[in-house]
Amino acid sequence: MKKLICLALSLCSLCACNDSDFLKENADDFLTVDNSYLNASQFRTGLNEFYRIVRQNYNFRDDPNYFFQFGIGTDIMFRPVSDMDMYTDWSLVNSTTDIYRVVYGRHFGMLYNVNTLLKQTENPDVRWSNEAEKLAAQAEARFFRGYCYRYLGFLFGGVPILTEPVGTPSLAYTRDSREDVYRQCIEDFDFAAKNLPVSVTEPGRVVQAAAYHYLAEMYIALGDETGDKSMYQKAIDAASMVIDQKVGEYHLMTERFGWRKDVAGKDAFWDLFQMKSEDGFSNFSYQTGNKESIWVIQVDKFVQGGLNDGLATRTDQERVFWPAFWGTTKFGYDGNARDWTGRGISWVRPTPYFCYDLWGKSGSEDQRNAEFNINRIYRAPKPIVNGVEVDDPNKVYETGVTLEDGTNIVVKLRPGDIIKKEWLTTRQDTMERFYPRIMKCGSDWHYAAEPANGFVMEWYAIRLAETYLIRAEAYLKNDNKDKAAADINVVRNRANAKPVEAADVNIDYLLDERARELYAEEFRTLTLCRMGLLYDRVKRFGYEASAKTVRERNNLGPIPQSVIDANSQAEFPNNPGF
């Protein structure tokens, strides 16, 4: 009995102990943040995950809705198969549209991990080589936090700002203001700009120039949001850090370069978008000599993890943005893709405004509109014999065509003959098969000569040409049209385009120039939402069905209904009109 009393007293003493270290669980037999991230190399593993998640914004699944942010339904592109497709018909966009749930969750999921990793950097058990190593890891993590809030703020406006790990679930989140979201972005990008490395040996890792680029853009956004014009000068200063080579050697590529520089009849702009060679040489990479490249989304068909799980055999630029001319059974084509045709499936078509008006405004000298950069002339192909294309100048293809006036004719073509526009009279002809093909979105060769799954091309997240256009926007809004025109003309000069006069520079001209330079690169939808001009530009320049259905509410995306429902213990209003 005495022994039992002593044991009971001992247990009482143990339970009464308030020493938190004594009570803390030691996770010796399973992984936690506390024991998984204890040195720089382990933090590198965690940081690499953020790059993988960002890559999902560029190449996620075979579904055109996942490419909405590139500008589907805006002034420059639309879904052509049916006028009832999402974004072609803007009335179909609402708070239950699933893509908004996907991107909202993707970026808040990354924010959770960023904040968790940042907290761990302050754990005294972490073995840093020096303070600079710690600051660099924090800077990289904060770059991605800024990236997330930039995306969310541009698309949705105000969202909850979280800068600490979330320990317990909550049903009472509320929306912070868009202004505060932008200020958080500026704080994070400013820290990243000061503490990231100037250069790296690993392609695709972010550097100071990337942070300064986004910092400049965020200062413009904050100036627009608050009316504080001093922000525009700060944007100019941030962009100048990159343009003036204060954070690394950057310049536009004006001479032929890369592994295909000897291909005749092309230019440096064409070289920028050549797929990685079979032996791994990347034209996109800063490390191989592309000094215009600031941040590139990395993909590789031949490396484990080099592509996303949802699309593990290819990237989708070609399928999304190229027409399916190979799929016709007219004019000598047999419905099978060839190595040089690629395998576009016309998910997204450039608008008439992009195809014609925008280039008419730019002038005929603009090489970005040259045939080798935008293919407008389609020709009858060579015949295939025993699975191989052969030269046969005597081959004649006969195709029955009904002209627009109802006349039936038989078109006879030899290989290489031009397919005339007046023979393209069906909706499928002009909407899916034959329309201007933006060559930077695809390739005239494919791995193993296999167009279905042999296309894998990197993406530019940031290119110096855009930094010039960001600074031009800041100059314009800071009432300095002369310097705005000068920056725009640096970009235009590379294309041999006629310089713009300062008097002609306005926000419409700037957006036109962004389209000419950055089509299928920039997230056009986010740019227009940032400026509050999506409705205006679509109404004036969008495809007819898009222009009829777009509403002012579309200047922001809808907050996902699932997010509103999850915050049942607080007011979480949707954006106006939704």
Side-chain angles (χ1 to χ4, degrees), residues 469-480:
L469 297 178
I470 286 287
R471 192 171 72 170
E473 182 184 347
Y475 276 131
L476 174 64
K477 292 177 175 178
N478 207 34
D479 301 322
N480 194 332

Side-chain angles (χ1 to χ4, degrees), residues 204-507:
R205 276 189 59 193
V206 294
V207 292
Q208 287 186 13
Y212 274 114
H213 174 99
Y214 281 150
L215 182 60
E217 186 183 34
M218 295 315 306
Y219 276 130
I220 293 174
L222 184 59
D224 290 348
E225 186 70 14
T226 63
D228 183 355
K229 294 190 68 171
S230 69
M231 294 297 109
Y232 301 137
Q233 184 58 52
K234 290 185 176 182
I236 292 165
D237 294 342
S240 296
M241 292 293 290
V242 184
I243 293 169
D244 295 345
Q245 301 194 24
K246 295 179 180 178
V247 289
E249 180 189 353
Y250 295 96
H251 57 77
L252 296 191
M253 301 301 288
T254 57
E255 303 293 333
R256 297 297 305 276
F257 73 97
W259 74 277
R260 301 193 77 191
K261 65 182 179 182
D262 294 328
V263 176
K266 314 297 183 183
D267 65 359
F269 189 79
W270 185 86
D271 288 331
L272 284 168
F273 303 98
Q274 294 311 297
M275 194 167 71
K276 188 180 294 183
S277 70
E278 290 183 319
D279 62 4
F281 187 95
S282 170
N283 275 28
F284 283 69
S285 177
Y286 182 91
Q287 286 75 14
T288 60
N290 181 350
K291 301 306 181 185
E292 187 168 339
S293 172
I294 296 176
W295 186 25
V296 174
I297 305 302
Q298 298 297 296
V299 292
D300 196 316
K301 186 176 178 66
F302 306 108
V303 173
Q304 186 174 3
L307 291 164
N308 287 333
D309 293 341
L311 200 56
T313 60
R314 63 181 179 274
T315 61
D316 254 3
Q317 297 100 312
E318 193 173 84
R319 289 195 174 207
V320 172
F321 297 113
W322 269 18
F325 69 100
W326 58 271
T328 188
T329 53
K330 302 177 181 180
F331 313 119
Y333 291 94
D334 61 1
N336 294 304
R338 309 185 188 191
D339 190 20
W340 63 270
T341 67
R343 198 177 181 280
I345 52 177
S346 56
W347 270 343
V348 176
R349 186 195 194 281
T351 59
Y353 180 76
F354 178 86
C355 291
Y356 307 109
D357 301 317
L358 186 141
W359 296 105
K361 294 177 183 180
S362 189
S364 60
E365 307 89 351
D366 194 330
Q367 285 187 268
R368 293 168 297 187
N369 189 37
E371 180 66 19
F372 55 81
N373 282 322
I374 300 182
N375 170 214
R376 300 172 183 271
I377 299 172
Y378 288 89
R379 299 176 183 272
K382 295 178 180 180
I384 293 179
V385 178
N386 297 324
V388 179
E389 281 192 339
V390 298
D391 291 316
D392 183 357
N394 296 317
K395 177 69 176 180
V396 176
Y397 304 112
E398 295 188 1
T399 303
V401 172
T402 300
L403 300 178
E404 286 193 358
D405 65 2
T407 303
N408 292 315
I409 64 171
V410 175
V411 173
K412 296 182 179 181
L413 295 175
R414 297 183 186 276
D417 286 350
I418 293 174
I419 300 168
K420 295 182 180 180
K421 289 184 178 180
E422 56 261 36
W423 301 334
L424 307 175
T425 57
T426 70
R427 179 185 172 94
Q428 187 180 58
D429 284 342
T430 57
M431 287 294 196
E432 300 179 49
R433 301 301 193 207
F434 299 96
Y435 55 76
R437 183 167 56 134
I438 315 303
M439 297 306 292
K440 70 176 181 177
C441 298
S443 179
D444 58 358
W445 72 279
H446 298 77
Y447 297 124
E450 208 278 287
N453 288 297
F455 178 80
V456 177
M457 192 164 73
E458 298 137 292
W459 302 76
Y460 290 107
I462 305 175
R463 193 157 56 81
L464 183 64
E466 185 182 11
T467 314
Y468 273 104
L469 297 178
I470 286 287
R471 192 171 72 170
E473 182 184 347
Y475 276 131
L476 174 64
K477 292 177 175 178
N478 207 34
D479 301 322
N480 194 332
K481 284 193 171 187
D482 288 335
K483 288 191 174 181
D487 274 352
I488 292 170
N489 285 332
V490 172
V491 177
R492 291 181 61 77
N493 288 345
R494 190 256 298 277
N496 198 37
K498 182 180 178 180
V500 63
E501 298 293 334
D504 295 328
V505 175
N506 55 32
I507 201 66

Side-chain angles (χ1 to χ4, degrees), residues 33-44 116-131 133-135 137-138:
V33 172
D34 286 341
N35 66 23
S36 297
Y37 299 102
L38 293 173
N39 58 53
S41 63
Q42 291 172 338
F43 273 92
R44 168 53 43 208
T116 300
L117 204 67
L118 278 170
K119 183 177 181 180
Q120 177 65 5
T121 63
E122 299 294 350
N123 186 333
D125 292 334
V126 177
R127 298 180 296 277
W128 299 108
S129 298
N130 49 54
E131 184 67 12
E133 186 177 69
K134 172 183 171 181
L135 288 172
Q138 291 175 333

Side-chain angles (χ1 to χ4, degrees), residues 551-570:
R551 298 291 181 265
E552 288 191 61
R553 71 178 189 175
N554 299 122
N555 280 326
L556 288 174
I559 300 294
Q561 190 62 44
S562 58
V563 173
I564 296 171
D565 293 343
N567 285 280
S568 58
Q569 296 178 8

